[in-house]
């Protein structure tokens, strides 16, 4: 560890790692500090019964050659080393409902997407084509989403107030089609009264363009980014939890870690949740109105995940994701469950490794869970680095929830219970402790079409040498957080030159091929 760095980055989530790589490529001396035993934030994986599970990355979009995430990853020099499996082109996402034997498929490419839906909804061509055109039109209004020069999307406020549910409902009266088009809203925790259509569009579009699973888990992305960072002269340190910021005049000059180290720097980028950043820096260092606004931003609902280790050769591998909602008329109501109705739905995704062929090895099932359900244990903390038990009542709580989810799975897969070797779970407390998200939020801050700028958080702060990055700023997800890091770094390097270098990295590839 050096005595002084040009840039110190707190947290090694994707936003922090992408920022570190961009700046290291520009010649800055960079240091990344991570509190956990593993780099990557939501990219972290864990192993149970010799089976790899993802904590947050179940699939990735936009990775076909020349597509948006491909181009960003090409610039970062990691695309060629990723080990990926393309999901079923005719149905990478499948929407299902109780008391309906049909499987409603979302296909890759807009032509196939439209063609597939017309099989189930032959009289709805106008609505389906209009929907697809609108998705692409909205995405085209976000320059960095398409790697184009232009004003950052948060300046185009006129597209923020259109609600996802309102728009989808406006193009068709067919309730089942409405539900199918909105069926993957677990990807962004869709809310009927608040979620903007642009959130839906930016999320769904990249998967329609292409959808992939990471073989052996998403942690390969963080491992590659750490490797490239070190190749460019940067440093990264695990078990270095930042607990305090040091000041000289009105600027930060160092951070102090839990293990007693002081790391000095010129610039500081926080990849940890903005509310926690303010707390660590000191509320007195910011304007009261800013602190109050950030602390009052609502966090998106938390999640509960069931991790199933399958018995060998019992459950066939499915190269797709299942989004099951009990009632198509309640497609937007999954967060409004009661103790009796939980879960209103779930998303199920199978893991894949190099040996996966006919049979699957694991399934991850995710559904919503409000933080209030785990508040009895909120004063307990448990990570690999700091092992603590939450007690028997907590274990019983998790077991009860796991059983309810398995019962729901049995409705779709009657023999699933006989295929289960072992199960593991994570709750909002797991997300809070491992990822550092406020109240275990799965996707950062709520985006509200009724008050679009309320949850906007600029990468810049009033402390001149402190910047922010991560899923709470702009958009969540692999692509959204990558773009967030580009925005953050543009405040240091400049947007025009940075975007040109990203585009040039992809032009170089094309010229070599020619």
């Amino acid at each position: 560890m050096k005595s002084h760095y040009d840039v110190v980055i707190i947290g090694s989530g994707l936003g922090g790692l992408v920022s570190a790589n961009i700046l290291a490529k520009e010649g800055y001396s960079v240091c990344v500090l991570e509190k956990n035993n593993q780099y990557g934030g939501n990219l972290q994986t864990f192993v149970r019964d010799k089976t790899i599970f993802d904590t947050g990355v179940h699939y990735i979009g936009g990775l076909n050659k020349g597509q948006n995430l491909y181009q960003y990853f090409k610039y970062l020099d990691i695309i060629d080393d990723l080990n990926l499996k393309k999901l079923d082109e005719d149905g990478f996402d499948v929407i299902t409902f109780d008391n309906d034997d049909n499987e409603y498929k979302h296909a890759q490419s807009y032509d196939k997407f439209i063609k597939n839906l017309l099989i189930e909804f032959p009289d709805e061509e106008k609505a389906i084509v209009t929907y697809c055109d609108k998705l692409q039109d909205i995405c085209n209004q976000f320059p960095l989403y398409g790697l184009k020069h232009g004003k950052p999307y948060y300046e185009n406020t006129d597209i923020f107030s259109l609600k996802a549910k309102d728009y989808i409902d406006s193009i068709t009266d067919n309730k089942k089609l409405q539900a199918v088009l909105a069926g993957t809203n677990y990807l962004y925790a869709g809310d009927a009264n608040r979620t903007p259509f642009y959130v839906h569009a930016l999320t769904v579009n990249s998967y329609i363009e292409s959808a992939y699973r990471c073989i052996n888990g998403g942690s390969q992305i963080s491992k590659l980014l750490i490797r490239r960072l070190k190749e460019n002269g940067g440093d990264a340190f695990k078990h270095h939890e930042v607990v305090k910021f040091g000041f000289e005049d009105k600027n930060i000059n160092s951070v102090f870690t839990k293990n007693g180290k002081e790391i000095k720097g010129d610039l500081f980028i926080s990849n940890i949740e903005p509310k926690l950043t303010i707390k660590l820096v000191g509320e007195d260092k910011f304007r009261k109105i800013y602190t109050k606004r950030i602390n009052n931003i609502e966090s998106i609902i938390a999640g509960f995940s069931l991790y199933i280790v399958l018995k060998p050769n019992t459950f066939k591998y499915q190269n797709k994701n299942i989004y099951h909602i009990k009632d198509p008329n309640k497609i937007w109501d999954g967060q409004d469950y009661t103790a009796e109705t939980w879960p209103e739905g779930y998303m199920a995704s199978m893991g894949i490794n190099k040996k996966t062929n006919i049979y699957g090895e694991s399934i991850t099932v995710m559904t919503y869970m409000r933080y209030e359900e785990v508040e009895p244990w909120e004063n307990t903390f448990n990570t690999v680095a700091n092992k603590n038990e939450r007690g028997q009542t907590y274990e019983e709580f998790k077991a009860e929830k796991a059983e309810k989810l398995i019962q729901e799975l049995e409705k779709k897969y009657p023999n699933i219970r006989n295929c289960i070797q072992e199960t593991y779970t994570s709750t909002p407390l797991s997300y809070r402790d491992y990822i550092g998200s406020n109240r275990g939020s799965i996707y950062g801050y709520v985006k509200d079409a009724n008050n679009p700028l309320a949850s906007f958080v600029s990468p810049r702060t009033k402390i001149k040498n402190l910047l922010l990055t991560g899923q709470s700023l702009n958009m969540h997800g692999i692509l959204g957080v990558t773009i967030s890091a580009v925005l953050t770094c543009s405040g240091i390097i400049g947007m025009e030159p940075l975007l040109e270098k990203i585009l040039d990295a992809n032009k170089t590839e094309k010229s070599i091929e020619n």
Side-chain angles (χ1 to χ4, degrees), residues 102-279:
N102 281 4
E103 290 194 336
Y104 301 91
K105 299 177 180 179
H106 288 193
Q108 297 183 52
S109 87
Y110 277 98
D111 287 344
K112 286 185 179 179
F113 185 89
I114 293 168
K115 183 180 177 181
N116 263 20
L117 289 183
L118 285 176
I119 295 171
E120 301 294 341
F121 304 99
D123 299 327
E124 294 288 340
E125 183 172 5
K126 181 181 178 181
I128 295 167
V129 171
T130 299
Y131 167 79
C132 290
D133 288 344
K134 187 68 171 180
L135 286 182
Q136 294 170 88
D137 175 60
I138 291 290
C139 291
N140 286 335
Q141 296 185 53
F142 291 71
L144 280 181
Y145 189 87
L147 291 96
K148 297 173 184 175
H149 292 287
K151 292 181 178 181
Y153 74 73
Y154 52 78
E155 294 184 17
N156 301 327
T157 56
D158 55 320
I159 63 173
F160 277 19
S161 57
L162 178 63
K163 295 176 185 176
K165 182 181 186 301
D166 289 354
Y167 178 74
I168 292 172
D169 289 357
S170 75
I171 60 173
T172 178
D173 294 326
N174 188 309
K175 298 297 183 183
K176 186 62 67 74
L177 178 58
Q178 291 172 359
V180 170
L181 294 179
T184 60
N185 70 40
Y186 272 86
L187 286 167
Y188 50 85
D191 181 315
N193 299 314
R194 295 189 291 184
T195 299
F197 185 73
Y198 83 87
V199 170
H200 174 90
L202 293 177
T203 304
V204 170
N205 175 76
S206 63
Y207 291 115
I208 294 175
E209 290 186 336
S210 64
Y212 291 84
R213 274 192 185 136
C214 289
I215 297 173
N216 288 335
S219 63
Q220 60 177 296
I221 298 172
S222 55
K223 289 172 183 174
L224 284 169
L225 288 171
I226 290 290
R227 189 183 306 167
R228 297 293 178 263
L229 173 63
K230 292 182 177 179
E231 288 171 359
N232 285 305
D235 289 333
F237 302 97
K238 292 182 283 190
H239 305 294
H240 278 66
E241 180 179 357
V242 172
V243 293
K244 184 183 176 183
F245 286 74
F247 277 79
E248 187 174 300
D249 296 325
K250 294 184 178 180
N251 284 340
I252 300 168
N253 68 343
S254 68
V255 292
F256 296 87
T257 62
K258 195 173 184 178
N259 56 3
K261 293 182 181 177
E262 180 183 14
I263 299 97
K264 296 186 177 182
D266 295 326
L267 280 170
F268 296 82
I269 298 176
S270 177
N271 184 212
I272 57 178
E273 210 263 345
K275 296 177 195 285
L276 180 56
T277 300
I278 289 174
K279 186 177 179 181

Side-chain angles (χ1 to χ4, degrees), residues 9 14-24 30 269 469 484-486 488-489:
I9 297 176
L14 181 63
L17 292 180
V18 172
S19 298
N21 274 270
I22 291 172
L23 296 172
V30 180
I269 298 176
T469 197
S484 166
V486 170
T488 298
C489 292

